[in-house]
Amino acid sequence: MKVCIAEKPSVAKDIARILGANSAHTGYMEGNGYQVTWTFGHLCELKEPRDYTLNWKHWSLGSLPMIPSRFGIKLIEDEGIKRQFDIIKKLFQAADEIINCGDAGQEGELIQRWVMQKAGAKCPVRRLWISSMTDEAIREGFANLRDEAQYKPLYLAGLSRAIGDWLLGMNATRLYTLKYGRNSYGKGQILSIGRVQTPTLALIVKRQEEIDNFKPEPYWVLATIYRDTQFTATKGKFTSKEEGEKAFSTIEGKPFTITNVTKKKGTEQPKQLYDLTSLQVDCNRKYGYSAEMTLNTIQSLYERKLTTYPRVDTQYLSDDIYPKCPQTMNGLFQTTFAGKRPYAELVKTLGGKPLLKSKRVFDSSKVTDHHAIIPTGIPPQGLTDVERNVYDLIARRFIAAFYPDCKFATTTVLGEVDKIEFKVSGKEILDKGWRVVMEAPTPELLPKGGETEQQDALGKDNQEASSYLPTFVKGESGTHTPTLTEKQTTPPKHYTEASLLRAMETAGKLVEDETLRAAMKENGIGRPSSRAGIIETLFRRHYIQRKRKNIEATQTGIALINTIHEKLLTSAELTGIWEKKLRDIEAKKYDAAQFINELKEQINNIVNDVLADNSNRKIGVIKPPQTPPREGDAT
């Protein structure tokens, strides 16, 4: 008997239907030589400190650092999980072969391998590896099952990440809570420290302090209006009013002369396809959806076979996807929302000729496990408003990728008054190209109460690109109206969820080392699939708070970051080092044991440094969380 194990019941149900395993049993389906069972995500977890020794059951500085000689796993304490695991274990022990149908990623590999280890599975294992949940993809995947050994490096990278997070999170959280917490453990808030959440919090705190400490400074801008068009002095800002007034008096009453007119044509390529982070950013900017809400929505669309695997960090498609794109376009052509076909005319425009194949879209060298997020071509039905909005973004981005470039002309006009130069620029769309696809969606897709906001969000680039200028001729001259305007420098903007996601993704700019920067450009702080959860964890810890769309650090969050003197814990550099080594483990370029040993040494140093601190600093808590966090929840 072949036993297939999926990551959740809904996925198992689809696989069982395709395989003909239609006989339902408690905890699994059976038929046609297959038994199809499932987990509920993680069934197993790394053991907690108290599982290793009684000395680690109670929190004390004397027990630190906690470094197990060998890490172990255990079942998560839940009756439902225990019942399902017992069923899986029984099936595994009688199986001739196991087919790992877990989520095709690092976490999915870790989930299923831990279950197999805990169940003592001995039979051969093969791997189902697919990027969408369509019937066609599942059949194709089973026709091309892969050797499980091929994914051992992926598992080792996931295991190393989990052990590393345990070592850092468990030790640093106890260390800082006991050393700097105002209340004893159990009575106050745990000061949670984690490899991802702490540098993310540090980004927010740094921005918060820049804003709080900002002192506005005045400056003056010299401009003039000629033929109903405002020209601005190219010298820039005047730092003193006297300097500005001197320039103003110089040009007042004297003729304005056009000295140069240039018109340059340019093109703008379609935006790249979505990866998870760019989709979360757009959903937050355009609809106000949180990163977690977007992740849950796109996961739902994936499981309903409407879009491809979502937890990706690439914006490219592999070359073998190209022949399947006309079929996907046909599905979009047929898609109907509220009796209308929003994509029919857009797809129809592409008909009658082969689809454009751009290296900006199709590049197998930029695709590892999974490709960018695209529609599967199955027409959606019964979507919620949120699901339709997210689906619409993905569908339009996909269609636009096959449209021609947007063509525009940029006109720059220079003028002069008594040797003081002025400038104005305008952009004119000559051919919308792909921008036609990205125009505002149909009213059915707009968020409640938000057409104006939606139009603003979608149309900002278009407004800028359509700023027409009158026709100016070099040498023409005439009267003008000068202005001297006092302004003030403005502080940096608070992070929104969209800009924070981008900061997490591009944290490499905070790192000087080129190798680390390259690693962080791809992975940044955390993985695309984990960033939403990290942001929510910071909210739950009351380290950050929302004020409208802005994210601000609380006094507790600020105090925590300012208390941490080990900059490796708060800087993007820590995550950069980890991500590069973890990628190298996955690529078989770095030894997992060496990674763990180096981390153990780092933990020892951090514990010794903090214990040597003789200050009496304490971190107060403004508002303890309603539900105390689990100790191990310290990523």
Side-chain angles (χ1 to χ4, degrees):
M1 186 71 70
K2 296 179 180 179
V3 178
C4 303
I5 180 166
E7 197 162 310
K8 56 180 64 177
S10 59
V11 175
K13 183 179 179 181
D14 283 334
I15 290 172
R17 177 175 52 81
I18 297 295
L19 296 177
N22 299 318
S23 178
H25 298 270
T26 302
Y28 69 100
M29 305 287 288
E30 185 173 3
N32 201 26
Y34 290 94
Q35 293 171 327
V36 183
T37 187
W38 53 84
T39 63
F40 309 116
H42 276 283
L43 296 191
C44 300
E45 62 183 354
L46 288 174
K47 289 181 178 179
E48 295 178 75
R50 65 175 181 266
D51 298 317
Y52 292 101
T53 172
L54 287 175
N55 290 338
W56 293 350
K57 183 177 181 180
H58 303 288
W59 287 40
S60 70
L61 290 173
S63 67
L64 302 178
M66 301 178 295
I67 301 178
S69 57
R70 183 179 178 85
F71 280 87
I73 57 174
K74 66 174 184 176
L75 281 180
I76 294 172
E77 294 175 7
D78 179 273
E79 282 302 315
I81 283 176
K82 185 178 184 304
R83 283 195 299 270
Q84 183 63 17
F85 175 77
D86 289 341
I87 293 168
I88 294 169
K89 182 176 180 180
K90 185 176 179 181
L91 295 177
F92 279 0
Q93 289 176 346
D96 298 313
E97 180 183 60
I98 295 171
I99 300 174
N100 179 355
C101 304
D103 209 359
Q106 191 181 101
E107 199 69 12
E109 192 69 20
L110 190 68
I111 287 171
Q112 304 298 52
R113 288 206 186 217
W114 274 357
V115 171
M116 285 184 258
Q117 287 175 25
K118 191 67 179 172
K122 303 294 183 184
C123 61
V125 181
R126 287 195 288 172
R127 187 64 159 97
L128 174 72
W129 195 269
I130 54 179
S131 287
S132 79
M133 286 301 300
T134 64
D135 290 4
E136 180 187 6
I138 293 172
R139 289 192 181 97
E140 188 177 322
F142 270 94
N144 297 280
L145 291 173
R146 305 180 186 185
D147 187 347
E148 178 80 343
Q150 181 179 341
Y151 298 97
K152 187 176 181 181
L154 186 70
Y155 163 69
L156 290 175
L159 179 62
S160 298
R161 185 188 297 273
I163 290 175
D165 283 339
W166 192 103
L167 283 169
L168 183 66
M170 293 292 188
N171 283 286
T173 295
R174 287 193 180 193
L175 179 68
Y176 275 84
T177 299
L178 294 169
K179 181 73 174 177
Y180 301 114
R182 191 173 295 280
N183 300 306
S184 60
Y185 171 64
K187 296 180 181 178
Q189 185 182 43
I190 295 175
L191 298 178
S192 179
I193 308 291
R195 174 183 62 90
V196 183
Q197 65 162 297
T198 306
T200 302
L201 176 60
L203 286 175
I204 300 168
V205 168
K206 181 181 179 183
R207 178 66 58 84
Q208 182 74 45
E209 291 180 335
E210 288 173 350
I211 294 170
D212 292 345
N213 297 328
F214 182 82
K215 294 180 180 179
E217 296 179 359
Y219 66 93
W220 288 261
V221 175
L222 180 65
T224 193
I225 296 175
Y226 172 69
R227 289 181 55 193
D228 296 322
T229 303
Q230 180 169 296
F231 290 73
T232 304
T234 58
K235 181 183 177 182
K237 306 171 183 177
F238 294 97
T239 55
S240 72
K241 186 178 182 180
E242 292 73 22
E243 188 181 9
E245 288 176 338
K246 182 179 178 181
F248 181 93
S249 62
T250 300
I251 67 171
E252 191 175 21
K254 297 176 182 175
F256 182 92
T257 304
I258 299 297
T259 58
N260 191 38
V261 179
T262 58
K263 195 168 186 177
K264 184 179 180 182
K265 292 184 178 180
T267 59
E268 182 185 16
Q269 293 179 304
K271 294 182 182 294
Q272 287 191 281
L273 297 171
Y274 279 120
D275 60 7
L276 178 58
T277 302
S278 59
L279 179 63
Q280 289 171 316
V281 166
D282 273 6
C283 284
N284 183 255
R285 286 177 176 168
K286 296 177 181 179
Y287 301 113
Y289 300 160
S290 70
E292 185 175 47
M293 184 179 184
T294 299
L295 176 58
N296 291 339
T297 303
I298 185 61
Q299 182 70 25
S300 172
L301 292 172
Y302 165 66
E303 291 172 10
R304 294 173 65 176
K305 310 175 189 294
L306 302 177
T307 56
T308 57
Y309 185 72
R311 298 166 186 262
V312 297
D313 58 2
T314 182
Q315 295 182 279
Y316 292 87
L317 300 176
S318 52
D319 293 297
D320 62 343
I321 301 298
Y322 178 74
K324 302 176 183 178
C325 289
Q327 181 181 345
T328 304
M329 285 293 183
N330 185 52
L332 291 172
F333 180 85
Q334 298 177 46
T335 294
T336 303
F337 291 139
K340 298 179 181 178
R341 291 188 173 184
Y343 314 121
E345 289 302 316
L346 300 173
V347 173
K348 188 176 179 181
T349 301
L350 296 172
K353 55 184 180 294
L355 292 173
L356 176 70
K357 189 178 182 184
S358 164
K359 196 72 173 175
R360 185 174 167 82
V361 178
F362 297 94
D363 188 344
S364 295
S365 69
K366 301 289 179 63
V367 179
T368 51
D369 299 332
H370 298 285
H371 55 67
I373 304 171
I374 61 172
T376 60
I378 295 177
Q381 294 181 339
L383 299 186
T384 65
D385 289 346
V386 173
E387 287 172 335
R388 279 190 295 175
N389 284 336
V390 176
Y391 183 86
D392 183 70
L393 288 177
I394 296 166
R396 290 177 185 273
R397 186 68 68 97
F398 177 75
I399 296 170
F402 298 94
Y403 263 66
D405 293 350
C406 169
K407 297 179 181 178
F408 62 88
T410 302
T411 302
T412 302
V413 183
L414 297 179
E416 187 179 87
V417 182
D418 198 20
K419 297 184 179 180
I420 294 180
E421 187 180 60
F422 294 82
K423 176 183 176 181
V424 68
S425 293
K427 210 180 249 187
E428 178 185 358
I429 298 290
L430 303 177
D431 183 348
K432 288 187 177 180
W434 63 270
R435 281 186 174 272
V436 170
V437 183
M438 308 309 291
E439 289 175 348
T442 57
E444 292 84 359
L445 296 175
L446 293 173
K448 290 181 181 179
E451 181 164 1
T452 301
E453 181 180 345
Q454 173 73 0
Q455 297 282 7
D456 288 345
L458 289 174
K460 184 177 179 181
D461 292 339
N462 287 329
Q463 292 165 8
E464 179 183 315
S466 303
S467 51
Y468 293 99
L469 294 176
T471 301
F472 292 102
V473 178
K474 182 180 179 180
E476 70 173 87
S477 185
T479 59
H480 63 105
T481 306
T483 61
L484 182 66
T485 307
E486 180 181 354
K487 297 187 177 183
Q488 284 192 329
T489 55
T490 56
K493 291 183 178 180
H494 281 98
Y495 280 117
T496 63
E497 202 148 333
S499 61
L500 180 59
L501 283 167
R502 280 296 183 217
M504 294 173 76
E505 184 184 50
T506 60
K509 65 185 179 183
L510 305 175
V511 178
E512 295 182 4
D513 184 273
E514 287 292 338
T515 305
L516 295 180
R517 186 182 295 123
M520 294 184 71
K521 184 179 179 182
E522 293 185 24
N523 297 290
I525 297 178
R527 292 164 293 161
S529 59
S530 70
R531 289 174 189 143
I534 292 300
I535 295 172
E536 291 302 318
T537 294
L538 292 173
F539 281 120
R540 194 168 66 249
R541 297 280 186 269
H542 201 67
Y543 293 161
I544 61 176
Q545 59 190 356
R546 283 190 181 94
K547 286 196 177 177
R548 296 183 180 176
K549 285 188 175 182
N550 293 336
I551 295 176
E552 297 184 4
T554 64
Q555 289 303 311
T556 302
I558 293 171
L560 177 59
I561 293 303
N562 289 337
T563 299
I564 298 174
H565 290 174
E566 294 71 32
K567 293 304 180 185
L568 203 57
L569 290 177
T570 58
S571 72
E573 184 180 1
L574 172 65
T575 298
I577 292 169
W578 277 47
E579 291 298 347
K580 182 181 187 308
K581 290 180 179 178
L582 288 166
R583 281 211 342 248
D584 287 347
I585 290 170
E586 194 172 322
K588 297 192 286 189
K589 297 177 181 178
Y590 198 80
D591 181 59
Q594 183 179 346
F595 172 79
I596 298 300
N597 287 334
E598 289 172 350
L599 188 60
K600 289 176 180 177
E601 183 179 352
Q602 179 185 323
I603 295 298
N604 267 309
N605 293 336
I606 290 173
V607 170
N608 291 334
D609 287 346
V610 171
L611 292 180
D613 180 9
N614 293 321
S615 70
N616 194 31
R617 290 174 291 138
K618 294 293 180 183
I619 300 174
V621 176
I622 295 175
K623 180 183 176 184
Q626 293 180 348
T627 304
R630 294 178 69 248
E631 181 186 355
D633 188 13
T635 305

